[in-house]
Amino acid sequence: MVDYHMTGGGATLMQDGRYMEQEEDWDRDLLLDPAWEKQQRKTFTAWCNSHLRKAGTQIENIDEDFRDGLKLMLLLEVISGERLPKPERGKMRVHKINNVNKALDFIASKGVKLVSIGAEEIVDGNTKMTLGMIWTIILRFAIQDISVEETSAKEGLLLWCQRKTAPYKNVNVQNFHISWKDGLAFNALIHRHRPELIEYDKLRKDDPVTNLNNAFEVAEKYLDIPKMLDAEDIVGTLRPDEKAIMTYVSCFYHAFSGAQKAETAANRICKVLAVNQENEHLMEDYEKLASDLLEWIHRTIPWLENRQPEKTMNDMQQKLEDFRDYRRVHKPPKVQEKCQLEINFNTLQTKLRLSNRPAFMPSEGKMVSDINNGWQHLEQAEKGYEEWLLNEIRRLERLDHLAEKFRQKASIHESWTEGKEAMLTQKDYETATLAEIKALLRKHEAFESDLAAHQDRVEQIAAIAQELNELDYYDSPSVNARCQKICDQWDVLGSLTHSRRESLEQTEKHLEAIDQLYLEYAKRAAPFNNWMEGAMEDLQDMFIVHTIEEIEGLIAAHEQFKSTLPDADREREAILDIQAEAQKIADYNHIKLASGNPYTSVTPQTINSKWEKVQQLVPKRDGALKGEQDKQQSNERLRLQFANQANAVGPWIQTKMEEVGRIAIEMHGTLEDQMSHLKQYEQSVINYKPNIDKLEQQHQLIQEALIFDNKHTNYTMEHIRVGWEHLLTTVARTINEVENQMLTRDAKGISQEQMHEFRASFNHFGKGGGGGGIGDVDAFLVRLVGRFGIPFHYILHVPTLVHPEIWSPRSPPSCLQAIVCIL
């Protein structure tokens, strides 16, 4: 923790319990020396701007520009590289104090304990406290971290200056005031680091102004160090300000120490690059050799793992010969490459270790372990490959025999089934008589006996096909397709046989049932059709509403209608099911029905078409009602928003009007106090203007929405505007009255007590039984004659001196107006 204690506008650094060297007694007497203050103001302002320019801003007056705390917080962010809490943008004093406190808290968080520096003093523009605060910032962020030969802060900076200027004649840096007065120390610092910028031998100790200006101009032009001091101020002061000199010298330290560190780092980088160059070449060789070997392994493993069998015996023999060539020709050279790669890797690691470099880490997937894993995978892939080839040859011999057997049995079955489907799908029973249907049934029974006899052959064909699949026969797709076709055909024959028997037995019975279903359909379809036509008419009906209640009533009615749709849909499905049942019976038994229902003209297509129309109209109606509801809800929100704001603004204006009336009568204190109070009151009224603007915006939205009524408030925008203008006018008139009283008092020499008595008398008569009319004013004038000795003929001329609009029974003059006329 570092403490900065304010001592007469300065600061004392306390670190680890030890105080920095205190100023001598005569120094403290000069802390308020205007010359020192001028030097500090200029130096500290330039130092702050050197950092603020990085953020695109600067300060002009160090007393004023830090008062709101905004640029102070920005300065701390720039020099620390950290983000401070978000500042408050208000213009009130409390906002400024809060911002300055945030800056002071941040300084404290950096280990600095501020004593006697408060936000109020900074906000009030206290020069002494402001300079002290900036000095604490400079100490913490520009000087405290300076370290030279186990010394730090001020002592470190002084030691650095002594080391750098030691070789130069006429330079003896012992402090940060007198030692710099002749300017040679500044020039020596620059020449030590940038000799091409200063001709040191041509400088004269007896010309300090020239020396100082030369150093300041060179530093600003070539070193980017802004000019923080004036040569004339330093020379013309018995003892230059130590804080100003330390601040300026710290800029030289940071400028030169940064360049030296950069140069040292560059030399180290070059040396490291030279050491690594040879090893990089070895690493590239390893990477290339490893990539080539891994590429060959990855290319070879899929070939060895390929277990795709060939279709013929000759093709399988060729696979076996290719595998033997791989073992004799292709693999041995790769074994040698693998061994060489491991040798190269070990050699590279040894060189890196000897050069004190980190161990070489190959690219991902190219480690020696990765290559060994790949090689192991390669050997596993070729293991058993030859045995698989021999097993495949034996499997092909077995498959040829089974395939021939399958083809023979399939051909016999296909020959028997030819023409059977056509026979079973005949529709001869559709127009047959009952006797003919019975004859067809007996013929069908004979066919069923023949069909059962062929069941075993179909099962044998399926078993052979299954065995061919298990042995992975190369032409399995064609075998499976033929077997599947036979099985499907067999299933079809069984299904057709069963269907024909049922058709023959039930044709007569279902023809009678179909007629009964037609009659029931006609009885239910007609009323349902009428209901749908009415519903479509209602759904397309236009509507016009003006309130939320009206649209909610329509929505409720629509929701009630929608609640009936499930029942209607079930009725529709029931009606369609009747027709579908009749058609199902006919279709299932292959009965050709006469066109149309003989009992009604309402077809299922008609019902479905109108139902789909209803279904389409319902969401459209929903959308239309929802849109209108949203519109009415939006209008209602606009009404409520305006009403809430207007119900707040209207009474506020009325209250303020009453307050102004009371203020005009009940004001106490001096006229200056009354004026200050009225100005504050006027500012509070003006500060309320955003509420009026907000109400104007809401009124604009209401007008754009074409809303013409608002049951939530009795106020209109016109009422608010008139009340607001009246309030502003009344406040301004009251202020003007007090200003005129002040002018009258100053011009006529009336004392404050007499002005109070005038007002009390006037107000007394203004509250009389006459209601504040002309009679009350006359009584007031008579009292003036008797109490203050004013000539009576002056009083007689008062009504003629006052404007008729002021001196009238409706608007009697104010106290001020009466007094002005008398005087």
Side-chain angles (χ1 to χ4, degrees):
M1 173 67 73
V2 178
D3 292 351
Y4 294 98
H5 293 275
M6 290 303 302
T7 56
T12 300
L13 174 65
M14 182 175 70
Q15 185 171 11
D16 298 330
R18 301 189 308 274
Y19 284 87
M20 290 177 57
E21 181 179 357
Q22 299 293 316
E23 304 290 347
E24 299 173 359
D25 291 340
W26 68 275
D27 292 341
R28 285 195 289 271
D29 295 337
L30 293 176
L31 282 175
L32 298 179
D33 188 336
W36 280 25
E37 179 180 336
K38 179 181 179 182
Q39 292 178 30
Q40 286 189 15
R41 289 171 64 92
K42 179 176 179 60
T43 303
F44 291 177
T45 300
W47 185 86
C48 292
N49 284 334
S50 69
H51 294 285
L52 287 174
R53 276 195 295 269
K54 301 174 184 177
T57 185
Q58 63 179 13
I59 61 172
E60 299 295 338
N61 189 326
I62 200 169
D63 300 342
E64 297 294 329
D65 293 351
F66 285 141
R67 290 180 64 184
D68 60 6
L70 296 177
K71 290 189 177 180
L72 178 59
M73 295 178 70
L74 180 60
L75 174 64
L76 291 173
E77 287 184 344
V78 172
I79 64 179
S80 68
E82 301 178 21
R83 295 291 295 176
L84 271 69
K86 185 177 181 181
E88 299 180 12
R89 295 295 179 179
K91 300 297 184 181
M92 299 177 65
R93 177 179 174 83
V94 66
H95 297 141
K96 299 178 180 180
I97 291 176
N98 289 340
N99 288 337
V100 175
N101 275 327
K102 290 177 182 178
L104 297 180
D105 290 343
F106 178 79
I107 297 173
S109 71
K110 295 302 177 182
V112 179
K113 184 178 180 181
L114 295 169
V115 179
S116 301
I117 298 180
E120 291 78 2
E121 288 82 0
I122 305 302
V123 173
D124 292 338
N126 188 310
T127 302
K128 173 182 174 182
M129 293 300 177
T130 302
L131 293 175
M133 177 190 66
I134 298 302
W135 175 238
T136 63
I137 295 174
I138 295 172
L139 280 177
R140 172 59 184 85
F141 293 101
I143 298 177
Q144 178 181 328
D145 295 334
I146 295 175
S147 178
V148 179
E149 297 182 10
E150 300 182 355
T151 62
S152 60
K154 176 180 178 181
E155 289 78 8
L157 182 60
L158 182 61
L159 181 59
W160 178 79
C161 294
Q162 291 171 344
R163 293 287 185 270
K164 296 300 180 180
T165 60
Y168 293 87
K169 63 180 181 179
N170 297 327
V171 177
N172 183 19
V173 178
Q174 297 298 324
N175 50 53
F176 286 106
H177 38 80
I178 302 299
S179 298
W180 303 84
K181 192 171 182 180
D182 59 8
L184 292 177
F186 288 111
N187 285 275
L189 279 180
I190 298 174
H191 186 269
R192 180 65 180 270
H193 296 90
R194 297 288 299 276
E196 74 278 8
L197 300 180
I198 297 288
E199 295 184 52
Y200 187 82
D201 294 336
K202 295 183 179 181
L203 300 176
R204 302 195 341 261
K205 186 176 180 64
D206 58 354
D207 191 4
V209 173
T210 300
N211 298 340
L212 290 168
N213 284 329
N214 181 66
F216 296 163
E217 292 172 1
V218 169
E220 184 174 31
K221 183 176 181 181
Y222 298 102
L223 303 179
D224 197 26
I225 298 176
K227 185 177 180 181
M228 300 183 183
L229 302 168
D230 286 330
E232 292 75 7
D233 293 340
I234 295 176
V235 174
T237 303
L238 180 63
R239 180 172 182 240
D241 180 60
E242 183 181 52
K243 298 179 179 62
I245 298 294
M246 283 181 64
T247 301
Y248 190 45
V249 172
S250 69
C251 294
F252 285 89
Y253 172 83
H254 290 295
F256 293 136
S257 63
Q260 183 176 359
K261 290 177 182 178
E263 181 179 358
T264 302
N267 293 334
R268 290 177 180 174
I269 291 174
C270 293
K271 188 178 295 183
V272 170
L273 290 176
V275 172
N276 290 341
Q277 186 173 6
E278 181 180 358
N279 291 336
E280 289 290 339
H281 180 69
L282 295 175
M283 293 176 190
E284 292 174 0
D285 290 344
Y286 172 88
E287 291 279 343
K288 184 177 185 307
L289 187 58
S291 297
D292 293 342
L293 183 57
L294 286 171
E295 191 275 333
W296 178 83
I297 292 174
H298 295 156
R299 187 176 67 251
T300 304
I301 287 176
W303 174 73
L304 293 174
E305 291 180 341
N306 182 14
R307 296 297 190 268
Q308 181 66 34
E310 297 295 337
K311 297 180 180 180
T312 65
M313 191 70 65
N314 291 334
D315 291 338
M316 290 305 300
Q317 290 290 351
Q318 184 60 46
K319 272 185 172 289
L320 180 59
E321 187 62 28
D322 292 341
F323 175 72
R324 290 170 180 169
D325 288 342
Y326 157 78
R327 281 187 169 175
R328 291 192 306 267
V329 179
H330 301 291
K331 184 178 179 182
K334 297 303 177 182
V335 174
Q336 294 297 326
E337 290 181 11
K338 179 176 178 294
C339 294
Q340 187 62 44
L341 184 68
E342 294 175 350
I343 294 172
N344 292 348
F345 179 82
N346 293 332
T347 301
L348 175 60
Q349 296 292 44
T350 301
K351 290 184 177 182
L352 290 172
R353 185 169 60 256
L354 293 176
S355 61
N356 198 26
R357 297 293 298 163
F360 169 59
M361 181 62 64
S363 301
E364 183 177 358
K366 296 181 182 179
M367 299 286 294
V368 172
S369 59
D370 296 325
I371 296 172
N372 288 334
N373 291 337
W375 192 265
Q376 184 179 3
H377 190 188
L378 177 72
E379 292 181 339
Q380 290 175 352
E382 70 180 68
K383 183 178 180 181
Y385 187 69
E386 184 177 10
E387 183 180 353
W388 173 80
L389 291 174
L390 295 175
N391 290 336
E392 277 298 305
I393 292 173
R394 289 192 291 270
R395 184 183 63 82
L396 286 176
E397 292 176 349
R398 170 67 176 162
L399 288 175
D400 287 342
H401 172 71
L402 289 175
E404 183 60 25
K405 186 176 181 180
F406 172 84
R407 285 189 289 269
Q408 290 177 359
K409 289 185 175 292
S411 297
I412 294 173
H413 178 79
E414 289 167 351
S415 178
W416 177 84
T417 59
E418 185 176 357
K420 295 299 188 291
E421 288 188 26
M423 179 193 71
L424 292 172
T425 55
Q426 291 182 86
K427 306 299 182 184
D428 50 348
Y429 56 84
E430 292 181 353
T431 57
T433 63
L434 182 59
E436 290 172 343
I437 290 176
K438 289 181 179 180
L440 290 174
L441 280 171
R442 287 192 293 271
K443 181 179 178 181
H444 187 69
E445 289 172 356
F447 173 77
E448 286 177 336
S449 299
D450 192 16
L451 184 67
H454 285 78
Q455 177 69 33
D456 291 340
R457 182 180 291 112
V458 175
E459 292 175 355
Q460 292 173 6
I461 293 172
I464 295 172
Q466 179 65 28
E467 187 173 1
L468 288 171
N469 279 286
E470 291 174 353
L471 295 176
D472 199 14
Y473 179 53
Y474 79 94
D475 199 22
S476 291
S478 63
V479 171
N480 291 336
R482 191 172 185 183
C483 181
Q484 187 64 42
K485 182 178 180 182
I486 291 172
C487 293
D488 292 343
Q489 187 183 38
W490 185 255
D491 293 337
V492 169
L493 290 176
S495 177
L496 290 175
T497 300
H498 181 70
S499 297
R500 184 169 175 80
R501 168 177 282 278
E502 289 184 346
S503 297
L504 292 171
E505 291 176 346
Q506 297 182 8
T507 297
E508 181 179 5
K509 179 179 63 176
H510 290 310
L511 283 174
E512 294 175 351
I514 288 172
D515 186 75
Q516 185 64 32
L517 291 172
Y518 273 162
L519 181 59
E520 183 180 357
Y521 172 88
K523 290 179 180 180
R524 298 175 67 174
F528 185 75
N529 183 63
N530 292 335
W531 176 85
M532 287 192 296
E533 291 178 347
M536 288 189 292
E537 182 178 353
D538 292 340
L539 289 171
Q540 297 179 85
D541 187 23
M542 299 294 294
F543 60 85
I544 300 175
V545 296
H546 299 286
T547 65
I548 190 68
E549 290 79 11
E550 292 177 354
I551 189 61
E552 288 177 349
L554 290 178
I555 291 175
H558 183 62
E559 292 298 325
Q560 183 178 3
F561 165 76
K562 289 198 298 183
S563 67
T564 65
L565 291 179
D567 293 336
D569 190 42
R570 285 190 289 273
E571 176 64 11
R572 179 187 66 86
E573 291 176 352
I575 295 172
L576 296 178
D577 286 343
I578 296 172
Q579 177 67 23
E581 182 63 23
Q583 188 64 41
K584 180 179 179 182
I585 293 173
D587 294 341
Y588 185 80
N589 294 279
H590 309 290
I591 299 173
K592 295 182 179 179
L593 299 175
S595 60
N597 189 322
Y599 303 108
T600 181
S601 61
V602 179
T603 65
Q605 291 77 13
T606 301
I607 292 176
N608 284 332
S609 175
K610 291 183 179 180
W611 179 254
E612 289 176 1
K613 182 65 175 176
V614 170
Q615 294 295 97
Q616 294 171 1
L617 291 174
V618 166
K620 291 182 179 179
R621 186 73 166 184
D622 285 337
L625 292 173
K626 183 62 171 61
E628 186 61 31
Q629 184 184 36
D630 293 343
K631 176 183 176 182
Q632 294 300 329
Q633 289 176 345
S634 176
N635 291 348
E636 187 67 10
R637 285 193 296 271
L638 292 176
R639 291 188 185 101
L640 287 172
Q641 290 174 0
F642 178 86
N644 292 337
Q645 185 73 5
N647 289 338
V649 171
W652 184 89
I653 293 176
Q654 184 175 355
T655 301
K656 293 300 179 180
M657 289 294 298
E658 295 172 357
E659 291 179 358
V660 172
R662 290 195 299 271
I663 290 173
I665 297 174
E666 300 174 359
M667 286 191 299
H668 300 288
T670 65
L671 293 178
E672 285 75 8
D673 292 341
Q674 296 172 20
M675 176 61 70
S676 175
H677 178 65
L678 286 172
K679 287 292 184 179
Q680 292 176 1
Y681 192 89
E682 179 185 42
Q683 186 59 43
S684 70
V685 172
I686 294 173
N687 290 341
Y688 197 77
K689 183 61 166 58
N691 294 287
I692 305 300
D693 296 338
K694 181 178 179 182
L695 196 61
E696 287 284 4
Q697 295 172 0
Q698 294 171 350
H699 178 65
Q700 180 65 26
L701 295 176
I702 285 180
Q703 288 184 325
E704 292 173 356
L706 300 179
I707 300 172
F708 303 104
D709 61 333
N710 193 338
K711 65 182 180 180
H712 303 293
T713 182
N714 294 325
Y715 291 100
T716 65
M717 197 62 229
E718 292 301 324
H719 293 157
I720 298 297
R721 292 188 187 117
V722 171
W724 175 252
E725 294 299 331
H726 190 191
L727 176 60
L728 294 177
T729 303
T730 302
V731 173
R733 187 170 62 236
T734 304
I735 292 174
N736 180 258
E737 178 180 337
V738 174
E739 290 174 345
N740 289 335
Q741 289 184 39
M742 295 171 64
L743 292 174
T744 302
R745 179 199 62 190
D746 296 339
K748 300 300 181 177
I750 299 176
S751 67
Q752 187 67 33
E753 289 76 11
Q754 290 176 318
M755 293 297 295
H756 281 307
E757 188 169 355
F758 283 156
R759 176 180 291 131
S761 298
F762 190 81
N763 290 340
H764 169 74
F765 289 108
K767 295 178 182 178
I774 295 298
D776 295 328
V777 174
D778 292 339
F780 165 70
L781 297 177
V782 171
R783 181 176 175 84
L784 288 178
V785 172
R787 174 64 181 86
F788 300 100
I790 298 174
F792 189 77
H793 65 276
Y794 285 172
I795 303 300
L796 295 178
H797 292 288
V798 168
T800 63
L801 297 175
V802 182
H803 193 280
E805 292 182 0
I806 298 177
W807 196 283
S808 65
R810 282 192 169 185
S811 180
S814 66
C815 174
L816 170 65
Q817 292 165 339
I819 295 172
V820 170
C821 293
I822 294 170
L823 297 177

